[in-house]
Structures are given as C-alpha cells and as structure tokens.
Amino acid sequence: MSKQFDVIVIGAGPGGYIAAIRAAQLGFNVACIDEWKNAAGGAAPGGTCTNVGCIPSKALLQSSEHFEHANLHFADHGISTGKVEMDVAKMIARKDAVVKQNNDGILYLFKKNKVTFFHGRGSFVKAVEGGYEIKVAGKEEEVLTGKQIVVATGSNARALPGVPFDEELNILSNDGALRLGKAPKKLALIGAGVIGLEMGSVWRRLGTEVIVLEGMDKFLPAVDEQIAKEAKKAFDKQGLKIELGVKIGEVKSGKKGVSIAYTNAKGEAQALEADKLIISIGRTANTAGLNAEAVGLALDERGCIVVDDDCKTSLPGVWAVGDVVRGPMLAHKAEEEAVAVAERIAGQHGHVNFGTIPWVIYTSPEIAWVGRTEQQLKEQGVKYKAGSFPFLANGRARALGDTTGMVKFLADAETDEILGVHMVGPMVSELISEAVVAMEFKASSEDIARICHAHPSLSEATKEAALAVDKRTLNF
C-alpha cells in the first residue's frame, strides 16, 4: 500500500526544498524526493545550487580572492607575508565541507518542519483518484500517492554537440570545474556568462592562463552596456582573456589536454591548446526520468515543463517551479515560485514579480542589477533619466582599496519611478537589495536620494547615484 501525502515535491533544490517547507508550514502532510548523493552515497539535498553551483563556486571564489589579496594587495596595507602558496586540495576540501554543511542544514529543516524525505529518483506512475502515484527509485523502491505534486527537478549543463562532458579528464561542466585537483597551466572556457566568468576568475587568481571564448559579439549582452564595458575593462586588466564573436569548430580531447579549433570575430581560423576545457553555454531543463509521458505532462520545444503564470502545469494538481520551467534559471527565482505555489495550494495568493528579480555575477568586481537596462528602455521607446556615481569617489571603497566600478540609476523621465539599477564594484551583490526593495514598492529615485545612508559605507554610492538622476551629487 502506498504512503499518502497531501503534497509531494520532486526535487530538493532551492525550489523543491523551499516548496516542501512552506507547504508543511501551511499545515500539509508533505513528502520531498531527491536523488542527489554525496561522495559516501548519502543524501545531499540542495540540488545543483548547493552541490555543484552557487554555494561551492562562492566558496572557491572566496578562497581564491583571499589568495590574490595576500599575493598582490597585503603589502599595500603594510602586511608582509613572504611567499604565499595555495594548497588546492585543501581549498577543494573546504568547499566540500561548506557544501556538506548546507546539505545537512536542509535535512535538519525537513526534520524541524516534519517534511518526510525520500532519497531516490522520483517519477510519475499514473493518475489515481484524487491525485497521482509517484515512484521513488532508491535503495528500496517505494510508491507514494499525493493529492498535489510540485515538480522542481532543476536543470543540467548544456554540452556542445558531439562534445560530451567527461568531468574528470579534460572536458568539464560546472561540476567538473569545481573538482579540479590542481590549477591547470592553461584553461579554456567556452561561454562568457556567469559560470565562465566566475570559474575563470577562480583559476586565474591561482596562476592559470585563462582564455574565454564567447560566441556573442557583445560582452554580457543582458547587462547594462555601460556596466558591461566597465566590467570588461576590469577583467582585461586582471589578465582574463576574453574573445568575443567566435565560432567553435572541432574540439579534440587527448592525453595531453584539449584542442579547440575556432574562427575569431574577423573570420580567421584559430587553434587553441589547453590543459582543460570548461563548457558553460547554458543549461537545459531536467525532465529525463520523470516519466512525464505516463500522465500526459506537457513539455515545450526546449524540454521545459509548460506552466501558466501561476506555475500550474497542463495537469490538475500538478505544479512546476525553478529551472525546469520558463524564466530565468536563478536559485532565488525558484525559491520565490516555490513559496508562491505552496501558498496557492493552500488557497492563498502567492506572488512573484519577475520585474524585480535581482541578478548577480560574483566576480571581482561583482556585477549586479535589477529591472531594465538602458538599451532596453531605448528599444521600448521609454523616456528616462539616468544617474551614476563611481566608487572612486566613495570613502569606504577607498579604505577597502577597491574603487572599481559604479552604481547607475534609471528612472522614468516624468514620474521618476525607478526602472532599473545597475552596479559593478565591491560587494554590489549586497547593495542591490536596496534597489529591489525600492522597485518593489515603486519608489522614485528621489526617495532613495532622501534616505539617510550610513557613512562611511558603500551604500552611499547608491544614494549618490540616485542624486545624480537629478544632477545633484554631493561627492562627485
């Protein structure tokens, strides 16, 4: 006899585990299924984000940034260190420990909120009266029955056609990139997006020659053009080599490394030899093994689960959130959808505003933004005002020794409502939250300009950029 639940969540990434916890808080009997395993074969909830994405990459970025500061910047502060070396194995071990802390934290939260966790692969069996049968294929096979099903199975790294990931030898996704045992002498990356820039930054800091090949003619086209140019200038200065407008040809992997044939932006044939290749050209929805066809769950041409604005699928009582549906593949977007779905199941009115979802690239300088870019406003014919303020004129940034970048505001020309805020510089991943709050409450740039900000703080650059919309900065 199958075990009965009000809500069954398939997947325990940021969307899945949050959906399970919120549903349990609302009084439902909840099960959550996830197959991710740690090195010992135990449960490792948290999905790509916790295991091979957001969390481990930030751990490596932090370690490599400490190493670069010790090598290049400590002397500016009067700190003498002698020769500084990086123990890559220890850096990777610390990253693994951080990941495990997060895995264990999610398991604790399940226990605290009385969510029943099943370790294995969840898939549809059939529709039954009042719900669906879900099979759990783990150490022992189990069948569960749920009235409401939430699919949160995430996404997988997209491979180049004909170039499969080997993850251990030469050709790596984000997974293999986080498990390198030593710093390669020469590292190639295909794709100058978030993963490419963050992983490239980690290994460049450790002494690796890094070459990034990007098919787009523009650097970070989704980012405000002025901010992207400022970031590119900083990366060029650091020695991160980025080639734009390339077309990838044959990729060969061998005992000595990998060779990549490509044509550059001028149409000239090029050949690149590297020790390792990281491919970061996007991600695809993870629906393999879900057995969607058994119940008639509709997928689109890209393999994503088809949902409406409320994350309802083509089937009654079945919902889907996160990377497996339309919209940006961001952990915090998945979390917001997860909470909204749990509340909708409870008859409440969950809400997600795609227009105020922040984006962050955790390089140095960091890049963060929310709302529309200047190029989007021009394309849409929206009349706007712009104001910016450089960290070069910010006292806290000078004290930190990091004055790269700026904060930029875009506001409606008539109403002064904030339409977008764009940042590149130190710790802007934290500063962007003020802009998100302001936009969610439909604030004007004048509202931010009139709010008292602590001195000295990086957040003063946000206030000054808001003042700049009306051409009245006080410190620049």
Side-chain angles (χ1 to χ4, degrees), residues 220-233:
L220 294 176
V223 176
D224 185 88
E225 199 169 310
Q226 185 180 7
I227 298 297
K229 284 179 179 177
E230 189 75 14
K232 177 73 162 51
K233 195 191 309 178

Side-chain angles (χ1 to χ4, degrees), residues 52 168 172 227 378 388 453:
V52 293
E168 299 291 342
L172 317 173
I227 298 297
K378 287 177 180 176
S388 62
H453 290 66

